[in-house]
Amino acid sequence: MNEKNTALLAAVFAKAADNKKMTRGNAGIVIYARDIKKFYLCKRGDDLGWCSPAGHPDKTDKDAKATAIRECAEESGYVFAEDEVKFIGNILCYAKGRYHESAIFVAELNSEEARSKRSCKTDGEMTAWQWVSVEEMLAMDVFLPTLIAINLFLEKCEL
């Protein structure tokens, strides 16, 4: 990111904080399957579209990674160990009338066997789950923060 973009992002964060419309501390996981070149998305029950698992911290979460791992298990059924999840950066997005700063992590499931280990127990917030390519996302209603997170993944990680 160049100095102009960094300064612009800092100004957006400052404005959001001044307007008291900033939510901090969200965390999410982009789940990617390198062998089939697809991302795992969950269908939100609130009609905001398809998304990667993400959410707000609970009192029991020790850090953003713990939040991301817990939210992933609750929303997708996939449970990752801390060493299976890598931080790739922070994003800023606007959703539900507020700015959200989210820590984004990535986890990979690179075999059919790994993808089959999904628990069927989720919190009910999501109504459907699907592996999709970037091309398939073009025809889907994907939640904007998820598109921003996937874009970060595409910028930072080798496919």
Side-chain angles (χ1 to χ4, degrees):
M1 186 177 283
N2 64 37
E3 282 185 37
K4 183 179 177 184
N5 288 344
T6 302
L8 180 61
L9 187 59
V12 170
F13 273 106
K15 182 178 179 186
D18 287 346
N19 292 338
K20 299 190 181 351
K21 289 192 170 191
M22 174 68 85
T23 301
R24 294 186 180 270
N26 295 1
I29 295 182
V30 172
I31 304 172
Y32 185 65
R34 188 172 301 280
D35 62 323
I36 59 172
K37 296 185 175 13
K38 291 190 175 194
F39 296 90
Y40 192 71
L41 298 182
C42 308
K43 178 77 167 113
R44 296 174 56 101
D46 58 9
D47 294 329
L48 288 177
W50 291 85
C51 65
S52 291
H56 300 282
D58 279 355
K59 293 176 184 173
T60 59
D61 297 336
K62 69 177 183 177
D63 56 22
K65 184 183 270 192
T67 298
I69 290 169
R70 179 187 49 75
E71 287 286 347
C72 185
E74 290 175 1
E75 296 179 358
S76 76
Y78 284 114
V79 179
F80 293 100
E82 280 193 37
D83 63 345
E84 295 176 304
V85 176
K86 180 180 109 181
F87 176 74
I88 57 172
N90 289 307
I91 63 168
L92 175 69
C93 53
Y94 187 79
K96 295 184 177 182
R98 301 186 76 72
Y99 289 94
H100 300 268
E101 181 183 13
S102 297
I104 303 301
F105 298 84
V106 64
E108 294 192 24
L109 294 169
N110 292 318
S111 71
E112 191 60 44
E113 179 184 356
R115 289 187 292 278
S116 72
K117 293 183 179 174
R118 179 181 170 268
S119 165
C120 292
K121 295 180 182 176
T122 60
D123 65 5
E125 186 177 349
M126 303 301 166
T127 59
W129 300 266
Q130 186 175 343
W131 286 97
V132 297
S133 67
V134 172
E135 294 77 18
E136 291 167 326
M137 283 184 215
L138 295 173
M140 298 172 70
D141 179 23
V142 180
F143 191 45
L144 180 59
T146 293
L147 292 175
I148 295 168
I150 289 173
N151 185 62
L152 179 66
F153 170 85
L154 293 171
E155 287 177 355
K156 300 238 177 177
C157 301
E158 271 186 48
L159 293 183

